[in-house]
Amino acid sequence: GIQYSLGDKNSSSNMKIDTLSFVHCLLTSHPPEVFHQHMQVLIPPIIAAVADSFYKITAEALLVLQQLVKVIRPLDCPSSFDFAPFTHDLYRCTLVRLKAADIDQEVKERAISCMGQIICNLGDYLQGELPTCLPIFLDRLRNEITRLTTVKALTKVAGSPLRIDLRPIMGEGIPILGSFLRKNQRALKLGTLTLLDTLVNNYSSALNSELLNKVLTELPPLLSESDLHIAQLTLTLLTSIARLQPSALANTQDPAIMPEILNLAKSPLLQGAALASMLEFFQAVVKANLPGLSYQELLTMLIAPVNSTATPTLHKQAFHSLAKCVAAIMVTRKQEAIAVVNTFLEDIQNPRSDPQHIFALLVVGEIGRHIDLSVLTSLKQVILASFSPPSEEVKSAASYALGSIAVGNLQQYLPFVLQEIETQPKRQYLLLHSLKEIISCQSSSASGVAQLQPFVPAIWQQLFRHCQCGEEGTRNVVAECLGKLTLIDPPTLLPRLQESLSSESALMRTTVLTAVKFTISDQPQAIDPLLRVSMGKFLSALEDPDLNVRRVALVALNSAAHNKPSLVRDLLDSVLPQLYQETFLRKELIREVEMGPFKHKVDDGLDIRKAAFECMYTLLDTCLDRLDIFDFLQHLQHGLYDHYDIKMLAYLMVARLAQLVPTAVLQRLEKLLEPLRHTCTMKVKANSVKQEFEKQDELKRSAMRAVASLLTIPDAEKNPHLSEFVISIKATPELQVIFDSIQKDSSLLNQDSNMMDLS
């Protein structure tokens, strides 16, 4: 059938393009060995299609050919198929297209990609052809239109396990790649950095300092917080150079690489993969033993910003980043680590300032995470002494440090932390944060979980003693620890949580439900099947007599609906009536409080109503098909008359519903418009404070955004209530100004999204 459809006499151009597209789909979705027996039949018509005079057929055929190359010789798994007879034919038909200068742009790009794949997978059988082919790549690299595609193709070739000899083009190619790093084209920079890193890793013997300097001079501007992905790839490249060509980094002050790296280390935005790349860079530099970059000199550079009085105060995140960098250096020099920790312990005992105190605690914590510090007998007491200063930030750093040190030697420190939680009620909150740090860190790897496993019963027992603590902050930390522990051993620990839900203590029940919230994440986990079974039991707390328990149950429902809707979809029939029940304003929960000469109303039901409407908003996005929209709209109306925070949520929902279920909204338009009209025409008392005027303005703006969304519904303008409302808005000058700006913003937004769709 494929042969017939690609035959010249039998098919139109569209038929050939569709057939090629189908073949491409087949090749990408099946294992390679399935096609090996059919290659004799499949390859000739594809080669013929590459030579077709119609550019669209050629472009599609090159895409198929690129996939075919991966199929005849897959590099990621062993294969006994004899591909050699096809190698030269595949190469020649692609070379014709690669050489041609007067062809369509798409064909040019596909020919470059296809040739890259051919050399990557079959290059060892084409040694004689490389002197012809590689210079063409160099040529395409110089061309502004084809350079990005060529960079990607060369990355494939350079990363090939066949180790294709690229030396003939590296002398001219690397300076060209260096020049790409100053171009204002982000995709080109990203691709070039990846290619350069691959070349340094696989062809370091063919490189020298002079050649690499052409690249290094372009790197300092890329080490910026304005684009952390580019900064990360730049650091990865520098790490590879430090490992394989360290002499090229002998002078990192010129170009100014080191100053830029230290600036980046102080950035409040540095985190995740970019921070991990920086830590690897520092470790590689210490091991390279470069002049001016010994571990002591690097330590001095990293500590300087903290001790300096000239520079502005560092952001909190910068202390964490710099401390991690110091620890990364010390991990490579374990024999000197204890001496360095001792100097920081002196700073902790006699701090000159809070920043220095915080930094010293964080450094000791980060080093202790990787190196066992139990030989320092005074360490526990020094860290605990920092739980007492008035500064909350110092206390928080001390708590983090104790947790981190415990990770380095669980046997020694974890029982100590548990004992302190038991015997030191004043420090309990901070000590629980230390415990949370231990559990979080150990949970992130299989080996960490195995180390923590023997201590789980003792930790669980200690945490359960504090589930009924009167302090909500403490209960929340306990709940987070319980949730994270449950993820370590779900079959044993989840049933225990479930049992505790029948406790007589309302505080215990809220802690258990909060813990359940921490077991739900947006990634697949081992606990998911068990949660699916027990979720109904946990959500039965929506009928609990205690207001706070019901509120926490709604928060857990919201978390499940947002992160893993499959946990609650089948329970919605029984859960929704209880959820809707919480949207009503209850007068018995409103009390009057005297504040001097004034009487002030306090609504104890506000938080639970807010939680209910937040749940409704989430369900709209994740479980729309399980909602009875008219029922939903009826309860949404309550929110349109409620407190400021709830009104803002309700207006967002009206706008969302206008997009998702316009017909249903149109049928209930009159009831939705009444509260919107009330908000837009409401006046604030003349003697009100400034915040009241600002709140009212924000409400009007949000209400009119909802009206603007309603106007986008087909035939909405024919509705007499809506058109009358819009006329009244336009008749009021202050409202018209707001409404016009909202409509202008929404039309610009639509244009942008259309442009994105087209691109």
Side-chain angles (χ1 to χ4, degrees), residues 189-194 197 219 223 227-239 273-274 277:
K189 283 181 192 171
L190 291 170
T192 303
L193 286 165
T194 306
D197 185 51
L219 296 184
L223 292 161
D227 192 329
L228 284 178
H229 191 192
I230 283 180
Q232 176 203 330
L233 292 180
T234 308
L235 285 163
T236 305
L237 172 59
L238 284 166
T239 304
S277 300

Side-chain angles (χ1 to χ4, degrees), residues 522 557-565 618 622:
D522 55 358
L557 170 61
N558 192 13
S559 175
H562 178 73
N563 293 306
K564 212 161 266 163
T618 304
T622 57

Side-chain angles (χ1 to χ4, degrees), residues 393-592:
E393 288 187 356
V394 171
K395 289 180 189 174
S396 174
S399 162
Y400 177 84
L402 182 59
S404 298
I405 291 162
V407 169
N409 184 341
L410 286 179
Q411 299 284 348
Q412 174 82 22
Y413 289 101
L414 186 50
F416 169 72
V417 171
L418 293 174
Q419 185 194 345
E420 287 291 309
I421 291 171
E422 181 64 28
T423 57
Q424 300 288 335
K426 286 185 179 173
R427 297 174 177 170
Q428 204 174 77
Y429 179 71
L430 292 167
L431 288 160
L432 283 165
H433 268 285
S434 302
L435 183 59
K436 185 182 87 173
E437 187 57 39
I438 297 167
I439 297 168
S440 301
C441 185
Q442 296 298 113
S443 306
S444 60
S445 67
S447 59
V449 169
Q451 286 173 352
L452 189 63
Q453 200 82 47
F455 299 99
V456 169
I459 299 173
W460 189 268
Q461 195 179 352
Q462 185 59 263
L463 288 170
F464 254 76
R465 287 183 194 148
H466 303 287
C467 280
Q468 299 173 48
C469 174
E471 283 283 321
E472 189 180 359
T474 303
R475 284 201 313 278
N476 285 342
V477 184
V478 168
E480 191 172 345
C481 290
L482 285 171
K484 289 183 173 176
L485 266 190
T486 305
L487 292 173
I488 288 175
D489 186 4
T492 312
L493 301 178
L494 193 64
R496 288 201 204 165
L497 280 183
Q498 205 169 317
E499 282 166 29
S500 307
L501 202 57
S502 52
S503 163
E504 288 180 14
S505 161
L507 293 178
M508 170 67 89
R509 299 197 298 274
T510 57
T511 307
V512 166
L513 287 164
T514 309
V516 171
K517 183 186 82 171
F518 285 108
T519 64
I520 302 164
S521 83
D522 55 358
Q523 300 299 317
Q525 296 186 114
I527 198 172
D528 291 348
L530 296 167
L531 267 179
R532 205 160 280 123
V533 174
S534 54
M535 204 67 196
K537 171 78 171 122
F538 287 117
L539 292 181
S540 66
L542 290 167
E543 297 178 90
D544 197 281
D546 186 89
L547 186 74
N548 207 30
V549 174
R550 295 202 304 276
R551 180 185 65 78
V552 176
L554 284 170
V555 172
L557 170 61
N558 192 13
S559 175
H562 178 73
N563 293 306
K564 212 161 266 163
S566 59
L567 293 177
V568 293
R569 288 174 73 84
D570 296 333
L571 302 170
L572 287 181
D573 288 345
S574 58
V575 165
L576 282 173
Q578 292 151 17
L579 167 62
Y580 291 149
Q581 197 60 38
E582 301 299 347
T583 61
F584 293 98
L585 192 143
R586 294 188 186 168
K587 289 186 176 166
E588 69 270 20
L589 294 175
I590 298 173
R591 54 195 167 90
E592 226 173 45

Side-chain angles (χ1 to χ4, degrees), residues 360-370 373 383 400-402 404-405:
L361 284 164
L362 293 176
V363 169
V364 171
E366 291 297 346
I367 293 175
R369 191 183 284 263
H370 303 287
L373 299 180
I383 300 290
Y400 177 84
L402 182 59
S404 298
I405 291 162

Side-chain angles (χ1 to χ4, degrees), residues 516-739:
V516 171
K517 183 186 82 171
F518 285 108
T519 64
I520 302 164
S521 83
D522 55 358
Q523 300 299 317
Q525 296 186 114
I527 198 172
D528 291 348
L530 296 167
L531 267 179
R532 205 160 280 123
V533 174
S534 54
M535 204 67 196
K537 171 78 171 122
F538 287 117
L539 292 181
S540 66
L542 290 167
E543 297 178 90
D544 197 281
D546 186 89
L547 186 74
N548 207 30
V549 174
R550 295 202 304 276
R551 180 185 65 78
V552 176
L554 284 170
V555 172
L557 170 61
N558 192 13
S559 175
H562 178 73
N563 293 306
K564 212 161 266 163
S566 59
L567 293 177
V568 293
R569 288 174 73 84
D570 296 333
L571 302 170
L572 287 181
D573 288 345
S574 58
V575 165
L576 282 173
Q578 292 151 17
L579 167 62
Y580 291 149
Q581 197 60 38
E582 301 299 347
T583 61
F584 293 98
L585 192 143
R586 294 188 186 168
K587 289 186 176 166
E588 69 270 20
L589 294 175
I590 298 173
R591 54 195 167 90
E592 226 173 45
V593 179
E594 288 189 8
M595 299 177 77
F598 304 105
K599 284 186 178 175
H600 177 63
K601 283 186 177 175
V602 175
D603 183 353
D604 291 329
L606 176 61
D607 283 346
I608 194 166
R609 290 202 308 283
K610 207 187 291 184
F613 281 104
E614 282 168 358
C615 251
M616 287 171 68
Y617 185 72
T618 304
L619 290 170
L620 205 53
D621 267 346
T622 57
C623 301
L624 180 67
D625 56 323
R626 294 298 177 97
L627 302 175
D628 176 334
I629 287 300
F630 292 108
D631 207 9
F632 189 95
L633 281 165
Q634 189 181 337
H635 290 91
L636 174 59
Q637 286 165 38
H638 303 154
L640 294 168
Y641 289 103
D642 208 318
H643 181 270
Y644 168 81
D645 292 343
I646 294 174
K647 276 183 184 172
M648 296 291 275
L649 254 178
Y651 298 152
L652 282 173
M653 279 193 260
V654 170
R656 194 88 184 90
L657 283 161
Q659 289 178 318
L660 298 171
V661 283
T663 317
V665 172
L666 215 47
Q667 290 176 45
R668 290 290 174 92
L669 206 49
E670 188 181 345
K671 289 189 174 177
L672 293 173
L673 287 174
E674 189 48 50
L676 291 172
R677 186 186 282 113
H678 180 261
T679 297
C680 290
T681 54
M682 198 172 149
K683 295 275 189 283
V684 184
K685 289 178 187 171
N687 62 349
S688 296
V689 292
K690 184 186 172 192
Q691 283 94 326
E692 281 302 314
F693 284 99
E694 287 172 355
K695 265 187 174 182
Q696 193 55 35
D697 277 354
E698 197 48 57
L699 273 176
K700 282 181 183 174
R701 190 171 282 278
S702 294
M704 281 193 269
R705 276 197 204 101
V707 174
S709 300
L710 293 172
L711 282 170
T712 61
I713 299 173
D715 297 334
E717 70 281 356
K718 293 177 187 171
N719 183 291
H721 301 286
L722 185 57
S723 52
E724 183 193 321
F725 185 17
V726 173
I727 289 164
S728 70
I729 287 174
K730 292 187 174 175
T732 315
E734 60 161 320
L735 294 181
Q736 188 185 358
V737 172
I738 299 172
F739 194 62

Side-chain angles (χ1 to χ4, degrees), residues 29 50 52 103 165 223 246 248 262 275 278 347 351 392 449 547 576 592 609 638 645 651 713 749 752:
S29 58
V50 170
D52 199 282
I103 51 171
D165 185 8
L223 292 161
L262 292 168
L275 177 56
M278 182 172 282
D347 287 346
E392 287 302 321
V449 169
L547 186 74
L576 282 173
E592 226 173 45
R609 290 202 308 283
H638 303 154
D645 292 343
Y651 298 152
I713 299 173
L749 206 65
D752 284 354

